[in-house]
Amino acid sequence: MEVANKHVTLKTHIEGAPKESDFELKTSPLSLLLYPGSGEMIVKNLYVSIDPYQLNRMRSYSLSQKTGTGFEGISLGEEIEAYGVAKVVASDNVEFEKGDVVVGVVTWAEYSKVRRNGMIRKLDPLGFPLSYHLGILGYSGLTAYAGFFEICKPKRGEKVFVSTAAGSVGNLVGQFAKLHGCYVVGCAGSKQKVQLLKEKLGFDEAFNYREETDLNSTLKRYFPDGIDIYFDNVGAEMQEAAVANMNTFGRVAVSGVISECIDPGKRAAPNMLQIIHKRIKIQGFLAVDHIGLFQDFVSTTSNHLRSGELCPLEDISDGLGSIPFAFTGLFRGDNIGKKIVKIAEE
Amino acid sequence: MEVANKHVTLKTHIEGAPKESDFELKTSPLSLLLYPGSGEMIVKNLYVSIDPYQLNRMRSYSLSQKTGTGFEGISLGEEIEAYGVAKVVASDNVEFEKGDVVVGVVTWAEYSKVRRNGMIRKLDPLGFPLSYHLGILGYSGLTAYAGFFEICKPKRGEKVFVSTAAGSVGNLVGQFAKLHGCYVVGCAGSKQKVQLLKEKLGFDEAFNYREETDLNSTLKRYFPDGIDIYFDNVGAEMQEAAVANMNTFGRVAVSGVISECIDPGKRAAPNMLQIIHKRIKIQGFLAVDHIGLFQDFVSTTSNHLRSGELCPLEDISDGLGSIPFAFTGLFRGDNIGKKIVKIAEE
């Protein structure tokens, strides 16, 4: 038993922003017969997640990263790891059997081989579409939840600023912040996104950063009483402007630095004297460190989804072949909400 | 009853690094008769503290700071506030009487008038020289203590880097870190300071940053296993190099940014992607927020002083007229340890 397995891989390591020509679609034979005792399984991918953090692993300099850090570089031709929802088609792992729906680390491929200790678990969809478990009920959701509640420690009434607010994480930070009783302003890169934030997601205000020439005064206009919390998905000059407009004891949760990823010459150089005087905290974080919150997060978020207080925002493309366009689109700002590629029907 | 009171004041607001010619010595008559019910008192200053943070209040742009922030600008000709130890010579405040030795906010002057709600208290010298209460037992000490223990939350065996390690705060951070069982490396600006850190203060290693051309590799050499805690007194490229060499969950306590003060074109632009991947925290702080620790701090530090485990490092100049040279010297790196000016005999 063997399938011709299509997968997306790197044709060249990426410099600056990714281009579609950096990727190629390859087909390799994959045996569905597993070596007894291997503990491996083969899954058929249904949905895969498209995330900006994956870019860093596609840089040639990441090849020198130690393995086990989660930031190791991807070799040319190698399968590209990604979160996904999949169905088990063959299993030598006693904990899984054929037909199980699973979620965890798979690859950008039609089929993925999952090793004995692969980061994967059986998925109870809880009555929601499977794709939700890659976004609002998955790592994007946990990033927003842990970053906002654990790193920012918000108080009711505080003023919250979110960048890439129509992105997979940003839109949820804003929605969590509203549910928590905060004043929330988001920025995004198009009129359509701004409208969505205000009209559909309940942000108090939103603006299109591409239309602003002086971010410092833009933020002063939206935050006449200052910013208490900045959830940073972009880095660079937006972070500097946020720090300049921050109140004492303000907190910056650094979740992403998309503008620094695209242009490595860009760097946030926030005013350190203000950081001292205003006792500002700038904290980088990863959702994985807050995995202990996962049950809390899923139960809170599910309840909000059922009551209609949280709005899932998904942007789903169709077919493995759409991955390069979908991934490069993250850095053009194409996506609205969580970017997902559907690989196959359930 | 009136005295001719000499005081140091600003002749011009300061741009960049301070120069002696930015200051002048003035004499004004000061009445020792206080208006009954005013709650005021007149103190004769014995020692005054010379601190880098005072520079910011001497900038013209600080004149627009709101009052009550502690960062208000100083007008030309106005007396310059500073911490000091003083003796009460006249009091209309029921809590103080003539002859009391006090510590708190006075001015760079022979005599200072202290208002009813002035930040001043009676001083019990605890058997130590009065000057200690401006340094190792005063705000510099609390800054080191609170910054290191509260902001950095050190664990035994962690690797600690301190910049301006021969300065008023840095030398104490290093000494506290050694007492806490950490590996400590300091940097300073002269061979003499480096020697002192290693031979007298027990730092594991120290280096002269003026002799280094690539701070990144310098830190890699002194920290082959990475930095866990960076106590930052300088900002700029030293902070960037520290972040680049930091371990996961590393902490940067930002206490001062002396190199950014001298050259406002200099800014720390640490790598934000590393800040995320390594979950680094950069935290500005002020000792005043940790005033609740003061009793703990004084009792711990006094015990260490009595047992000889802590070494006080003072740099005392003589006479009010030496203040401009002493203050500008902070930014040339003249001082070794806490810079104090002795104004009068006890």
Side-chain angles (χ1 to χ4, degrees):
Chain A
M1 275 283 284
E2 194 178 87
V3 290
N5 185 31
K6 283 202 199 106
H7 68 98
V8 172
T9 185
L10 278 181
K11 202 153 113 191
T12 175
H13 284 109
I14 299 175
E15 311 275 337
K19 301 178 299 296
E20 282 183 77
S21 58
D22 296 328
F23 297 93
E24 62 185 334
L25 208 62
K26 280 201 166 170
T27 306
S28 322
L30 179 71
S31 167
L32 300 184
L33 291 174
L34 296 166
Y35 187 76
S38 66
E40 293 177 339
M41 58 181 177
I42 305 289
V43 300
K44 183 180 179 197
N45 295 314
L46 305 175
Y47 294 94
V48 294
S49 181
I50 311 291
D51 294 297
Y53 79 83
Q54 295 175 283
L55 176 61
N56 197 51
R57 296 190 57 189
M58 298 172 184
R59 307 288 195 195
S60 55
Y61 62 71
S62 295
L63 290 170
S64 62
Q65 282 279 351
K66 283 178 221 138
T67 51
T69 57
F71 307 116
E72 309 90 327
I74 296 163
S75 301
L76 302 185
E78 192 185 347
E79 292 200 21
I80 295 174
E81 286 185 349
Y83 276 85
V85 174
K87 196 169 244 175
V88 176
V89 292
S91 174
D92 185 64
N93 186 322
V94 291
E95 292 171 42
F96 298 90
E97 59 189 45
K98 194 174 162 174
D100 281 349
V101 173
V102 293
V103 64
V105 178
V106 295
T107 54
W108 280 351
E110 289 178 324
Y111 294 87
S112 302
K113 181 178 268 187
V114 178
R115 300 190 188 286
R116 186 193 298 274
N117 297 313
M119 282 178 59
I120 207 149
R121 62 179 172 85
K122 274 187 224 176
L123 175 62
D124 173 359
L126 303 168
F128 296 110
L130 293 181
S131 58
Y132 281 23
H133 297 277
L134 293 181
I136 194 165
L137 292 170
Y139 259 85
S140 302
L142 181 62
T143 303
Y145 189 85
F148 183 63
F149 291 108
E150 289 294 299
I151 305 294
C152 301
K153 301 216 182 299
K155 290 187 272 291
R156 204 164 293 280
E158 283 195 314
K159 316 286 184 287
V160 177
F161 175 49
V162 189
S163 53
T164 67
S168 59
V169 174
N171 88 83
L172 291 173
V173 172
Q175 293 192 73
F176 284 134
K178 281 310 300 171
L179 286 172
H180 198 66
C182 296
Y183 170 81
V184 182
V185 179
C187 76
S190 76
K191 193 173 279 186
Q192 186 198 2
K193 290 178 182 173
V194 165
Q195 208 170 343
L196 175 97
L197 294 176
K198 291 201 285 191
E199 291 171 14
K200 192 165 171 197
L201 303 188
F203 281 56
D204 294 286
E205 288 290 350
F207 65 89
N208 180 350
Y209 69 89
R210 295 184 208 259
E211 286 172 359
E212 302 296 328
T213 49
D214 175 1
L215 293 173
N216 214 326
S217 22
T218 304
L219 291 181
K220 211 174 291 299
R221 206 162 72 233
Y222 285 105
F223 293 96
D225 302 321
I227 298 169
D228 298 302
I229 289 171
Y230 171 43
F231 196 97
D232 188 3
N233 288 305
V234 301
E237 63 267 49
M238 191 67 88
Q239 189 192 92
E240 295 172 17
V243 164
N245 281 281
M246 206 150 234
N247 292 328
T248 47
F249 301 105
R251 290 135 274 160
V252 178
V254 192
S255 177
V257 288
I258 201 159
S259 72
E260 299 187 24
C261 284
I262 300 170
D263 177 356
K266 279 195 181 178
R267 281 280 187 96
N271 185 321
M272 284 290 153
L273 195 60
Q274 291 189 358
I275 285 175
I276 299 174
H277 287 174
K278 301 196 285 193
R279 292 82 125 186
I280 289 170
K281 178 176 82 165
I282 297 179
Q283 170 86 63
F285 76 100
L286 294 175
V288 69
D289 299 324
H290 304 274
I291 200 74
L293 288 177
F294 198 77
Q295 287 314 317
D296 270 359
F297 149 68
V298 167
S299 101
T300 307
T301 308
S302 303
N303 290 339
H304 286 315
L305 275 169
R306 290 193 189 99
S307 68
E309 290 168 306
L310 264 181
C311 169
L313 207 58
E314 295 184 312
D315 187 336
I316 304 185
S317 314
D318 215 42
L320 188 78
S322 72
I323 288 181
F325 184 74
F327 182 69
T328 54
L330 290 177
F331 302 89
R332 291 185 301 265
D334 288 356
N335 62 304
I336 295 189
K338 177 67 191 180
K339 186 69 209 174
I340 290 169
V341 170
K342 182 176 178 179
I343 309 283
E345 290 294 334
E346 292 171 35
Chain B
M1 277 281 287
E2 195 177 87
V3 290
N5 185 30
K6 283 201 198 106
H7 68 99
V8 172
T9 185
L10 280 180
K11 203 153 114 190
T12 174
H13 283 108
I14 298 176
E15 311 276 339
K19 301 178 299 296
E20 282 183 78
S21 58
D22 295 329
F23 297 93
E24 62 185 334
L25 208 63
K26 280 200 165 171
T27 306
S28 323
L30 178 71
S31 168
L32 301 184
L33 291 175
L34 297 167
Y35 187 76
S38 66
E40 294 176 337
M41 57 182 177
I42 305 289
V43 301
K44 183 181 178 196
N45 295 316
L46 305 175
Y47 294 94
V48 294
S49 181
I50 311 292
D51 295 297
Y53 79 83
Q54 295 174 284
L55 176 63
N56 197 50
R57 298 189 58 190
M58 298 171 184
R59 308 287 195 195
S60 55
Y61 63 70
S62 294
L63 290 170
S64 62
Q65 283 279 352
K66 284 177 221 138
T67 51
T69 58
F71 308 114
E72 310 90 327
I74 296 163
S75 301
L76 302 185
E78 193 186 345
E79 292 200 21
I80 295 173
E81 285 185 350
Y83 276 84
V85 174
K87 196 169 246 176
V88 176
V89 293
S91 174
D92 185 65
N93 184 322
V94 291
E95 292 171 41
F96 297 90
E97 59 188 44
K98 193 175 163 175
D100 282 349
V101 174
V102 294
V103 64
V105 178
V106 295
T107 53
W108 281 350
E110 289 177 323
Y111 295 87
S112 302
K113 181 177 269 188
V114 178
R115 300 191 189 283
R116 186 194 299 273
N117 297 314
M119 281 178 60
I120 207 150
R121 62 180 172 84
K122 273 187 224 175
L123 176 62
D124 173 356
L126 303 167
F128 297 109
L130 293 181
S131 57
Y132 281 24
H133 298 276
L134 294 182
I136 193 164
L137 293 169
Y139 259 85
S140 304
L142 181 62
T143 302
Y145 188 87
F148 184 62
F149 291 107
E150 289 293 300
I151 304 295
C152 300
K153 302 218 183 294
K155 289 187 273 292
R156 204 164 294 279
E158 282 196 314
K159 315 286 184 288
V160 177
F161 175 49
V162 189
S163 53
T164 67
S168 59
V169 174
N171 89 82
L172 292 173
V173 172
Q175 293 192 72
F176 283 135
K178 281 309 300 171
L179 286 172
H180 198 65
C182 296
Y183 169 81
V184 182
V185 178
C187 75
S190 75
K191 192 173 283 188
Q192 186 198 0
K193 288 177 182 174
V194 166
Q195 207 171 345
L196 176 97
L197 295 176
K198 292 202 283 188
E199 292 171 13
K200 194 166 168 193
L201 303 188
F203 281 56
D204 294 286
E205 288 290 348
F207 66 88
N208 180 351
Y209 68 87
R210 295 185 209 258
E211 287 173 358
E212 303 295 327
T213 48
D214 175 0
L215 294 174
N216 214 323
S217 24
T218 303
L219 291 181
K220 210 173 292 299
R221 207 163 69 233
Y222 286 105
F223 292 96
D225 301 321
I227 298 169
D228 298 302
I229 290 172
Y230 172 43
F231 196 98
D232 188 2
N233 288 304
V234 301
E237 63 267 49
M238 192 67 88
Q239 190 192 93
E240 295 173 16
V243 164
N245 281 281
M246 206 151 233
N247 292 327
T248 47
F249 301 105
R251 292 133 271 161
V252 178
V254 192
S255 177
V257 287
I258 201 160
S259 72
E260 299 187 24
C261 285
I262 299 171
D263 177 356
K266 280 195 179 178
R267 280 279 187 96
N271 185 320
M272 284 291 154
L273 195 58
Q274 292 189 356
I275 285 174
I276 298 174
H277 287 175
K278 302 197 283 193
R279 293 80 125 186
I280 289 170
K281 177 176 84 165
I282 297 179
Q283 171 85 64
F285 75 100
L286 293 175
V288 70
D289 298 324
H290 303 274
I291 200 76
L293 289 178
F294 198 77
Q295 287 313 317
D296 270 357
F297 149 69
V298 167
S299 100
T300 306
T301 308
S302 303
N303 290 340
H304 286 315
L305 275 169
R306 288 193 190 100
S307 68
E309 291 169 305
L310 266 180
C311 169
L313 207 60
E314 295 184 309
D315 186 336
I316 304 184
S317 314
D318 215 43
L320 188 78
S322 71
I323 288 180
F325 184 74
F327 182 70
T328 53
L330 291 178
F331 301 89
R332 290 186 301 263
D334 289 356
N335 62 304
I336 295 189
K338 177 67 190 181
K339 187 69 209 175
I340 290 168
V341 170
K342 182 175 179 180
I343 309 284
E345 291 292 336
E346 293 172 32

